[in-house]
Amino acid sequence: MKAHVSSILLGVQDMDRAKQFYTEGLGWKIKDNYGVSVFFESDGASPVGFYGREGLADQVGTGAEGTGFSGLVLTYVVRSEKRVDEIMAEAEAAGATVLKPAGALPWGGYGGTFADPDGYIWSLGFSAQGTDQLYAE
């Protein structure tokens, strides 16, 4: 198995709320809307989609309930501190919970962290030190 993700599916409690957060709040564009699931324009990266949390849990053979840190963090690397600040502001205005405000990171970069309305954690980052980073934008 290769170190590659074909797509990222997030189980959401409220499909309409999740779509609103990502489309109106963060500017994502819907590529495919199947009712039970939604996929967004990926811009060449791994596609991200939503599926009803209960249905997705059933599909993969687990329970839908869960609390606390899941051990999963979605990382979004950008090319400037200013862009980190802009995205953090967009996310907060759209209803995200800021977990760590943007600022200097212990390893020398700059970043912040927020949770979307379903609790999925996004870590935004910038580093002037990296030369071969996988930039999201």
Side-chain angles (χ1 to χ4, degrees), residues 50-76:
F50 299 148
Y51 202 100
R53 187 174 177 93
E54 300 234 351
L56 184 59
D58 185 56
Q59 183 176 329
V60 300
T62 189
E65 59 286 328
T67 61
F69 179 55
S70 70
L72 172 73
V73 174
L74 303 164
T75 305
Y76 197 82

Side-chain angles (χ1 to χ4, degrees), residues 21-35:
F21 176 81
Y22 284 95
T23 58
E24 294 176 22
L26 298 182
W28 290 20
K29 306 277 187 263
I30 293 175
K31 179 178 184 244
D32 297 304
N33 188 344
Y34 301 109

Side-chain angles (χ1 to χ4, degrees), residues 76-136:
Y76 197 82
V77 179
V78 296
R79 298 178 189 272
S80 71
E81 291 182 11
K82 179 182 177 199
R83 188 63 183 134
V84 169
D85 292 336
E86 290 170 352
I87 295 170
M88 289 294 292
E90 290 170 4
E92 187 172 20
T97 301
V98 173
L99 302 175
K100 286 188 108 175
L105 298 171
W107 49 267
Y110 182 85
T113 309
F114 69 85
D116 78 2
D118 282 283
Y120 292 105
I121 298 171
W122 286 88
S123 176
L124 304 177
F126 163 75
S127 173
Q129 301 166 3
T131 57
D132 61 348
Q133 299 179 56
L134 296 174
Y135 291 105

Side-chain angles (χ1 to χ4, degrees), residues 8-20:
I8 299 165
L9 256 182
L10 303 176
V12 298
Q13 296 287 353
D14 183 327
M15 184 70 74
D16 290 332
R17 178 187 70 186
K19 286 191 296 190
Q20 182 178 7

